[in-house]
Amino acid sequence: MSDGCIMVVGAHAADAEVMGGAQVLTQVAQGWRGVIVHCTLGEKGHPSLDPDAYGRQKRAEAEEAARVLGAACICLPYLDGELPVDTEVQWRIADLIRTHRPDIVLTHWKGSFHRDHRNTYANVMEALYLAGLTAFQRTNPAYHPRALYFCENWEDMEDYQPDVYLDVSPVFDRYLQAIRCYELVRGGISRFPYDRYYEALTIVRGAVAGYDRAVTMMIPARSRVQRRQTLTP
Ligand SMILES: [Zn+2]
Protein backbone atom coordinates (compact mmCIF):
# COMPACT_ATOMS: atom_id res chain seq x y z
CA MET A 1 0.00 0.00 0.00
CA SER A 2 1.14 3.55 -0.56
CA ASP A 3 0.07 7.02 0.43
CA GLY A 4 -0.21 8.32 -3.12
CA CYS A 5 -2.95 10.58 -4.40
CA ILE A 6 -4.65 11.00 -7.78
CA MET A 7 -6.71 14.13 -8.57
CA VAL A 8 -9.09 14.55 -11.50
CA VAL A 9 -10.27 18.04 -12.46
CA GLY A 10 -13.35 18.09 -14.70
CA ALA A 11 -15.42 20.91 -16.14
CA HIS A 12 -18.93 19.61 -15.36
CA ALA A 13 -19.91 17.05 -12.74
CA ALA A 14 -19.74 13.69 -14.60
CA ASP A 15 -16.78 14.71 -16.82
CA ALA A 16 -14.18 13.80 -14.21
CA GLU A 17 -15.77 10.42 -13.59
CA VAL A 18 -16.34 9.37 -17.20
CA MET A 19 -12.80 10.33 -18.23
CA GLY A 20 -10.87 9.59 -15.01
CA GLY A 21 -13.02 7.37 -12.81
CA ALA A 22 -11.38 4.11 -13.86
CA GLN A 23 -7.91 5.57 -13.21
CA VAL A 24 -9.05 6.68 -9.74
CA LEU A 25 -10.42 3.21 -8.98
CA THR A 26 -7.16 1.61 -10.15
CA GLN A 27 -5.07 3.79 -7.83
CA VAL A 28 -7.51 3.64 -4.89
CA ALA A 29 -7.25 -0.17 -5.11
CA GLN A 30 -3.52 0.30 -4.46
CA GLY A 31 -4.17 2.35 -1.33
CA TRP A 32 -4.04 5.80 -2.90
CA ARG A 33 -6.36 8.68 -2.10
CA GLY A 34 -8.61 9.95 -4.89
CA VAL A 35 -9.84 13.54 -5.23
CA ILE A 36 -12.48 14.53 -7.77
CA VAL A 37 -12.82 18.26 -8.53
CA HIS A 38 -15.78 19.60 -10.50
CA CYS A 39 -15.32 23.19 -11.73
CA THR A 40 -19.09 23.49 -12.36
CA LEU A 41 -22.03 21.23 -11.63
CA GLY A 42 -23.08 21.25 -15.30
CA GLU A 43 -26.49 22.34 -14.09
CA LYS A 44 -27.89 23.70 -17.35
CA GLY A 45 -29.48 21.72 -20.14
CA HIS A 46 -31.88 19.38 -18.37
CA PRO A 47 -35.02 19.07 -20.51
CA SER A 48 -37.45 19.63 -17.61
CA LEU A 49 -35.54 20.75 -14.49
CA ASP A 50 -34.41 24.34 -13.95
CA PRO A 51 -30.69 24.92 -13.22
CA ASP A 52 -31.22 25.16 -9.44
CA ALA A 53 -33.07 21.86 -9.25
CA TYR A 54 -30.76 20.08 -11.67
CA GLY A 55 -27.73 21.54 -9.86
CA ARG A 56 -28.94 19.96 -6.61
CA GLN A 57 -29.42 16.65 -8.45
CA LYS A 58 -25.93 16.86 -10.01
CA ARG A 59 -24.33 17.62 -6.63
CA ALA A 60 -26.04 14.58 -5.08
CA GLU A 61 -25.04 12.41 -8.06
CA ALA A 62 -21.43 13.67 -7.79
CA GLU A 63 -21.29 12.74 -4.10
CA GLU A 64 -22.69 9.28 -4.79
CA ALA A 65 -20.27 8.70 -7.68
CA ALA A 66 -17.34 9.75 -5.49
CA ARG A 67 -18.50 7.34 -2.80
CA VAL A 68 -18.50 4.50 -5.36
CA LEU A 69 -14.99 5.53 -6.48
CA GLY A 70 -13.77 5.81 -2.89
CA ALA A 71 -12.72 9.41 -3.58
CA ALA A 72 -13.30 12.85 -2.10
CA CYS A 73 -15.65 15.14 -4.05
CA ILE A 74 -15.07 18.88 -4.36
CA CYS A 75 -17.49 21.15 -6.27
CA LEU A 76 -16.17 24.61 -7.15
CA PRO A 77 -18.77 27.41 -7.20
CA TYR A 78 -18.76 28.26 -10.92
CA LEU A 79 -21.74 28.23 -13.29
CA ASP A 80 -22.22 25.87 -16.21
CA GLY A 81 -21.16 27.57 -19.44
CA GLU A 82 -19.61 30.49 -17.52
CA LEU A 83 -16.31 29.12 -16.18
CA PRO A 84 -13.82 31.98 -16.48
CA VAL A 85 -10.10 31.67 -17.11
CA ASP A 86 -8.71 33.83 -14.32
CA THR A 87 -6.39 33.81 -11.33
CA GLU A 88 -9.25 33.26 -8.86
CA VAL A 89 -10.12 29.89 -10.44
CA GLN A 90 -6.44 29.07 -10.87
CA TRP A 91 -5.63 29.76 -7.20
CA ARG A 92 -8.60 27.68 -6.05
CA ILE A 93 -7.24 24.73 -8.01
CA ALA A 94 -3.62 25.49 -7.03
CA ASP A 95 -4.60 25.56 -3.34
CA LEU A 96 -6.37 22.20 -3.76
CA ILE A 97 -3.16 20.83 -5.30
CA ARG A 98 -1.14 22.21 -2.37
CA THR A 99 -3.63 20.79 0.14
CA HIS A 100 -4.08 17.28 -1.30
CA ARG A 101 -0.58 16.90 -2.83
CA PRO A 102 -1.61 14.61 -5.71
CA ASP A 103 1.14 12.56 -7.35
CA ILE A 104 -0.91 12.48 -10.54
CA VAL A 105 -3.30 15.09 -11.94
CA LEU A 106 -5.75 14.27 -14.72
CA THR A 107 -7.77 16.84 -16.63
CA HIS A 108 -9.30 17.72 -20.00
CA TRP A 109 -7.33 17.93 -23.24
CA LYS A 110 -7.63 21.42 -24.77
CA GLY A 111 -8.92 20.18 -28.14
CA SER A 112 -12.53 20.51 -27.08
CA PHE A 113 -15.62 21.97 -28.69
CA HIS A 114 -16.90 22.91 -25.22
CA ARG A 115 -15.67 26.22 -23.83
CA ASP A 116 -15.83 25.08 -20.18
CA HIS A 117 -13.60 22.11 -21.06
CA ARG A 118 -11.02 24.33 -22.79
CA ASN A 119 -11.16 26.77 -19.88
CA THR A 120 -10.68 23.95 -17.36
CA TYR A 121 -7.56 22.87 -19.26
CA ALA A 122 -6.24 26.46 -19.25
CA ASN A 123 -6.97 26.95 -15.55
CA VAL A 124 -5.36 23.64 -14.54
CA MET A 125 -2.19 24.36 -16.53
CA GLU A 126 -1.81 27.72 -14.76
CA ALA A 127 -2.77 26.19 -11.39
CA LEU A 128 0.04 23.64 -11.70
CA TYR A 129 2.46 26.50 -12.22
CA LEU A 130 1.11 28.52 -9.27
CA ALA A 131 1.00 25.48 -6.98
CA GLY A 132 4.69 24.83 -7.53
CA LEU A 133 6.06 28.32 -6.98
CA THR A 134 7.64 28.68 -3.53
CA ALA A 135 7.66 32.45 -3.94
CA PHE A 136 3.87 32.45 -3.49
CA GLN A 137 3.04 32.14 0.22
CA ARG A 138 -0.30 30.42 0.77
CA THR A 139 -1.78 28.36 3.60
CA ASN A 140 0.05 25.25 2.32
CA PRO A 141 3.60 24.98 0.93
CA ALA A 142 4.39 24.84 -2.79
CA TYR A 143 3.94 21.46 -4.42
CA HIS A 144 4.59 19.90 -7.86
CA PRO A 145 2.60 16.80 -8.89
CA ARG A 146 4.84 14.15 -10.44
CA ALA A 147 2.70 13.58 -13.53
CA LEU A 148 -0.04 15.22 -15.57
CA TYR A 149 -2.21 13.40 -18.09
CA PHE A 150 -5.02 14.55 -20.36
CA CYS A 151 -7.99 12.19 -20.41
CA GLU A 152 -10.10 10.86 -23.24
CA ASN A 153 -13.48 12.61 -23.39
CA TRP A 154 -15.84 12.46 -26.38
CA GLU A 155 -16.09 16.25 -26.42
CA ASP A 156 -12.29 16.79 -26.41
CA MET A 157 -11.06 14.69 -29.35
CA GLU A 158 -9.50 17.36 -31.60
CA ASP A 159 -5.81 16.35 -31.94
CA TYR A 160 -6.15 13.95 -28.99
CA GLN A 161 -3.55 11.16 -29.04
CA PRO A 162 -4.00 8.00 -26.97
CA ASP A 163 -0.47 7.64 -25.56
CA VAL A 164 -1.03 5.58 -22.42
CA TYR A 165 -3.33 2.56 -22.31
CA LEU A 166 -4.36 1.58 -18.77
CA ASP A 167 -5.80 -1.87 -18.12
CA VAL A 168 -9.08 -1.21 -16.33
CA SER A 169 -10.55 -4.70 -16.64
CA PRO A 170 -10.42 -5.28 -12.84
CA VAL A 171 -12.28 -2.06 -12.03
CA PHE A 172 -14.62 -1.85 -15.02
CA ASP A 173 -17.83 -2.94 -13.25
CA ARG A 174 -17.31 -0.40 -10.49
CA TYR A 175 -16.43 2.30 -13.05
CA LEU A 176 -19.74 1.68 -14.78
CA GLN A 177 -21.54 1.78 -11.43
CA ALA A 178 -19.89 5.14 -10.64
CA ILE A 179 -20.70 6.87 -13.93
CA ARG A 180 -24.25 5.51 -13.87
CA CYS A 181 -24.86 7.51 -10.69
CA TYR A 182 -25.58 10.31 -13.16
CA GLU A 183 -28.90 10.52 -14.98
CA LEU A 184 -26.87 12.16 -17.77
CA VAL A 185 -24.98 8.89 -18.25
CA ARG A 186 -27.98 6.59 -17.81
CA GLY A 187 -29.81 8.43 -20.59
CA GLY A 188 -32.78 10.74 -21.03
CA ILE A 189 -31.05 14.12 -20.71
CA SER A 190 -28.60 14.30 -23.60
CA ARG A 191 -28.97 12.81 -27.05
CA PHE A 192 -25.40 11.54 -26.65
CA PRO A 193 -25.37 7.92 -25.39
CA TYR A 194 -22.76 8.35 -22.64
CA ASP A 195 -23.32 4.92 -21.17
CA ARG A 196 -22.90 3.02 -24.46
CA TYR A 197 -20.08 5.23 -25.70
CA TYR A 198 -17.83 4.87 -22.66
CA GLU A 199 -18.61 1.19 -22.23
CA ALA A 200 -17.73 0.51 -25.89
CA LEU A 201 -14.67 2.77 -25.76
CA THR A 202 -13.05 0.62 -23.06
CA ILE A 203 -13.44 -2.40 -25.37
CA VAL A 204 -12.00 -0.56 -28.39
CA ARG A 205 -9.02 0.81 -26.43
CA GLY A 206 -8.54 -2.54 -24.70
CA ALA A 207 -8.42 -4.38 -28.03
CA VAL A 208 -5.51 -2.24 -29.23
CA ALA A 209 -3.55 -2.70 -26.01
CA GLY A 210 -4.28 -6.41 -25.55
CA TYR A 211 -6.49 -5.91 -22.50
CA ASP A 212 -10.11 -6.82 -21.98
CA ARG A 213 -10.89 -3.18 -21.09
CA ALA A 214 -8.66 -0.09 -21.22
CA VAL A 215 -8.82 3.68 -20.93
CA THR A 216 -6.31 6.01 -22.55
CA MET A 217 -4.54 9.20 -21.59
CA MET A 218 -2.45 11.73 -23.47
CA ILE A 219 1.01 12.81 -22.33
CA PRO A 220 1.82 16.56 -22.25
CA ALA A 221 4.31 17.57 -24.94
CA ARG A 222 7.11 18.34 -22.48
CA SER A 223 6.75 14.91 -20.87
CA ARG A 224 7.42 13.22 -24.23
CA VAL A 225 11.12 14.00 -23.97
CA GLN A 226 13.06 10.75 -23.56
CA ARG A 227 16.66 10.97 -22.34
CA ARG A 228 18.77 8.15 -23.85
CA GLN A 229 22.49 7.46 -24.13
CA THR A 230 22.04 4.47 -26.44
CA LEU A 231 19.17 3.13 -28.53
CA THR A 232 19.77 -0.49 -27.49
CA PRO A 233 16.41 -1.85 -26.34
ZN1 LIG B 1 -18.54 18.69 -19.83
Side-chain angles (χ1 to χ4, degrees):
M1 302 296 262
S2 86
D3 61 351
C5 177
I6 181 170
M7 176 182 283
V8 190
V9 185
H12 311 105
D15 279 319
E17 294 92 339
V18 296
M19 67 187 191
Q23 296 91 317
V24 169
L25 282 167
T26 300
Q27 296 309 115
V28 166
Q30 295 183 27
W32 284 37
R33 290 173 291 121
V35 180
I36 305 282
V37 181
H38 304 298
C39 292
T40 83
L41 289 170
E43 71 279 5
K44 299 192 179 100
H46 193 284
S48 55
L49 294 177
D50 65 35
D52 279 352
Y54 188 41
R56 285 193 296 277
Q57 176 180 325
K58 286 293 289 287
R59 188 183 293 275
E61 290 170 337
E63 285 167 3
E64 180 62 12
R67 193 191 62 74
V68 173
L69 295 176
C73 172
I74 296 162
C75 298
L76 300 183
Y78 299 99
L79 297 176
D80 188 1
E82 303 177 39
L83 179 67
V85 177
D86 65 24
T87 50
E88 186 202 281
V89 183
Q90 289 153 15
W91 269 118
R92 279 183 190 271
I93 298 170
D95 283 335
L96 288 173
I97 291 168
R98 288 184 175 208
T99 301
H100 295 278
R101 304 174 72 80
D103 298 85
I104 297 172
V105 171
L106 308 181
T107 193
H108 292 271
W109 170 235
K110 65 182 173 182
S112 182
F113 59 73
H114 201 305
R115 189 179 67 162
D116 288 341
H117 291 207
R118 296 193 301 274
N119 289 359
T120 298
Y121 165 93
N123 284 317
V124 169
M125 296 307 280
E126 291 302 317
L128 288 164
Y129 171 74
L130 295 174
L133 277 184
T134 50
F136 287 116
Q137 299 284 317
R138 307 288 287 186
T139 306
N140 291 302
Y143 178 77
H144 273 295
R146 277 192 291 147
L148 167 70
Y149 296 103
F150 306 118
C151 295
E152 186 163 5
N153 182 309
W154 78 275
E155 293 168 295
D156 309 340
M157 295 306 287
E158 188 177 334
D159 296 328
Y160 175 84
Q161 295 183 52
D163 294 315
V164 177
Y165 288 72
L166 178 70
D167 179 6
V168 298
S169 317
V171 300
F172 176 73
D173 289 346
R174 203 156 178 87
Y175 166 70
L176 213 52
Q177 184 190 342
I179 67 174
R180 282 180 177 162
C181 291
Y182 287 98
E183 185 186 1
L184 177 70
V185 171
R186 294 192 303 273
I189 292 180
S190 167
R191 274 181 296 184
F192 185 80
Y194 280 86
D195 191 300
R196 295 176 63 216
Y197 179 89
Y198 284 101
E199 187 173 356
L201 186 62
T202 61
I203 297 173
V204 169
R205 295 312 195 186
V208 172
Y211 300 129
D212 190 36
R213 304 267 183 180
V215 296
T216 74
M217 289 161 289
M218 182 170 173
I219 299 172
R222 64 183 157 78
S223 304
R224 291 175 188 275
V225 174
Q226 298 187 13
R227 290 159 52 83
R228 301 268 180 91
Q229 290 184 313
T230 162
L231 288 177
T232 308

mmCIF file of all heavy atoms in Angstrom, residues 11-15 108 114 116-117 153 155 194, ligand 1:
data_model
loop_
_atom_site.group_PDB
_atom_site.id
_atom_site.type_symbol
_atom_site.label_atom_id
_atom_site.label_comp_id
_atom_site.label_asym_id
_atom_site.label_seq_id
_atom_site.Cartn_x
_atom_site.Cartn_y
_atom_site.Cartn_z
ATOM 1 N N ALA A 11 -14.665 19.672 -15.947
ATOM 2 C CA ALA A 11 -15.417 20.911 -16.145
ATOM 3 C C ALA A 11 -16.800 20.827 -15.503
ATOM 4 O O ALA A 11 -17.220 21.726 -14.768
ATOM 5 C CB ALA A 11 -15.544 21.209 -17.637
ATOM 6 N N HIS A 12 -17.548 19.775 -15.836
ATOM 7 C CA HIS A 12 -18.928 19.608 -15.362
ATOM 8 C C HIS A 12 -19.010 18.300 -14.581
ATOM 9 O O HIS A 12 -18.404 17.309 -15.008
ATOM 10 C CB HIS A 12 -19.888 19.531 -16.562
ATOM 11 C CG HIS A 12 -19.687 20.625 -17.562
ATOM 12 N ND1 HIS A 12 -19.062 20.414 -18.783
ATOM 13 C CD2 HIS A 12 -20.011 21.937 -17.510
ATOM 14 C CE1 HIS A 12 -19.015 21.571 -19.441
ATOM 15 N NE2 HIS A 12 -19.578 22.509 -18.692
ATOM 16 N N ALA A 13 -19.749 18.297 -13.485
ATOM 17 C CA ALA A 13 -19.913 17.046 -12.741
ATOM 18 C C ALA A 13 -20.335 15.962 -13.721
ATOM 19 O O ALA A 13 -21.266 16.157 -14.514
ATOM 20 C CB ALA A 13 -20.957 17.228 -11.638
ATOM 21 N N ALA A 14 -19.643 14.849 -13.690
ATOM 22 C CA ALA A 14 -19.736 13.687 -14.599
ATOM 23 C C ALA A 14 -18.530 13.612 -15.533
ATOM 24 O O ALA A 14 -18.086 12.516 -15.856
ATOM 25 C CB ALA A 14 -21.017 13.588 -15.423
ATOM 26 N N ASP A 15 -17.966 14.767 -15.950
ATOM 27 C CA ASP A 15 -16.782 14.713 -16.824
ATOM 28 C C ASP A 15 -15.630 13.982 -16.138
ATOM 29 O O ASP A 15 -14.996 13.104 -16.737
ATOM 30 C CB ASP A 15 -16.304 16.127 -17.188
ATOM 31 C CG ASP A 15 -17.098 16.756 -18.314
ATOM 32 O OD1 ASP A 15 -17.419 16.043 -19.283
ATOM 33 O OD2 ASP A 15 -17.397 17.962 -18.227
ATOM 34 N N HIS A 108 -8.879 17.712 -18.599
ATOM 35 C CA HIS A 108 -9.295 17.724 -20.002
ATOM 36 C C HIS A 108 -8.126 18.024 -20.927
ATOM 37 O O HIS A 108 -7.219 18.796 -20.569
ATOM 38 C CB HIS A 108 -10.348 18.825 -20.224
ATOM 39 C CG HIS A 108 -11.644 18.571 -19.559
ATOM 40 N ND1 HIS A 108 -12.661 17.872 -20.163
ATOM 41 C CD2 HIS A 108 -12.118 18.917 -18.336
ATOM 42 C CE1 HIS A 108 -13.699 17.810 -19.345
ATOM 43 N NE2 HIS A 108 -13.397 18.433 -18.218
ATOM 44 N N HIS A 114 -16.168 22.285 -26.324
ATOM 45 C CA HIS A 114 -16.902 22.908 -25.225
ATOM 46 C C HIS A 114 -16.007 23.922 -24.515
ATOM 47 O O HIS A 114 -14.918 23.578 -24.060
ATOM 48 C CB HIS A 114 -17.375 21.842 -24.238
ATOM 49 C CG HIS A 114 -18.513 22.310 -23.393
ATOM 50 N ND1 HIS A 114 -18.442 23.455 -22.638
ATOM 51 C CD2 HIS A 114 -19.761 21.811 -23.201
ATOM 52 C CE1 HIS A 114 -19.585 23.627 -22.009
ATOM 53 N NE2 HIS A 114 -20.410 22.657 -22.336
ATOM 54 N N ASP A 116 -16.185 25.392 -21.578
ATOM 55 C CA ASP A 116 -15.830 25.083 -20.185
ATOM 56 C C ASP A 116 -14.703 24.044 -20.112
ATOM 57 O O ASP A 116 -13.886 24.070 -19.190
ATOM 58 C CB ASP A 116 -17.039 24.538 -19.410
ATOM 59 C CG ASP A 116 -18.079 25.603 -19.094
ATOM 60 O OD1 ASP A 116 -17.749 26.806 -19.139
ATOM 61 O OD2 ASP A 116 -19.226 25.218 -18.803
ATOM 62 N N HIS A 117 -14.675 23.114 -21.059
ATOM 63 C CA HIS A 117 -13.603 22.106 -21.061
ATOM 64 C C HIS A 117 -12.265 22.768 -21.399
ATOM 65 O O HIS A 117 -11.250 22.505 -20.745
ATOM 66 C CB HIS A 117 -13.906 21.002 -22.079
ATOM 67 C CG HIS A 117 -15.064 20.133 -21.711
ATOM 68 N ND1 HIS A 117 -15.189 18.824 -22.134
ATOM 69 C CD2 HIS A 117 -16.170 20.378 -20.957
ATOM 70 C CE1 HIS A 117 -16.305 18.307 -21.665
ATOM 71 N NE2 HIS A 117 -16.924 19.232 -20.959
ATOM 72 N N ASN A 153 -12.113 12.143 -23.631
ATOM 73 C CA ASN A 153 -13.483 12.612 -23.393
ATOM 74 C C ASN A 153 -14.085 12.866 -24.768
ATOM 75 O O ASN A 153 -13.451 13.515 -25.599
ATOM 76 C CB ASN A 153 -13.426 13.905 -22.555
ATOM 77 C CG ASN A 153 -14.783 14.472 -22.196
ATOM 78 O OD1 ASN A 153 -15.633 14.658 -23.061
ATOM 79 N ND2 ASN A 153 -14.977 14.762 -20.929
ATOM 80 N N GLU A 155 -15.982 14.856 -25.984
ATOM 81 C CA GLU A 155 -16.089 16.254 -26.416
ATOM 82 C C GLU A 155 -14.729 16.914 -26.665
ATOM 83 O O GLU A 155 -14.679 18.062 -27.095
ATOM 84 C CB GLU A 155 -16.868 17.058 -25.361
ATOM 85 C CG GLU A 155 -18.331 16.633 -25.280
ATOM 86 C CD GLU A 155 -19.053 17.203 -24.064
ATOM 87 O OE1 GLU A 155 -18.687 16.840 -22.933
ATOM 88 O OE2 GLU A 155 -19.972 18.005 -24.263
ATOM 89 N N TYR A 194 -23.967 8.435 -23.480
ATOM 90 C CA TYR A 194 -22.762 8.347 -22.638
ATOM 91 C C TYR A 194 -22.445 6.915 -22.230
ATOM 92 O O TYR A 194 -21.310 6.452 -22.324
ATOM 93 C CB TYR A 194 -22.947 9.193 -21.360
ATOM 94 C CG TYR A 194 -22.716 10.644 -21.580
ATOM 95 C CD1 TYR A 194 -23.737 11.469 -22.035
ATOM 96 C CD2 TYR A 194 -21.472 11.210 -21.333
ATOM 97 C CE1 TYR A 194 -23.522 12.827 -22.242
ATOM 98 C CE2 TYR A 194 -21.253 12.567 -21.538
ATOM 99 C CZ TYR A 194 -22.283 13.359 -21.997
ATOM 100 O OH TYR A 194 -22.065 14.688 -22.210
HETATM 101 ZN ZN ZN B 1 -18.544 18.694 -19.832
#
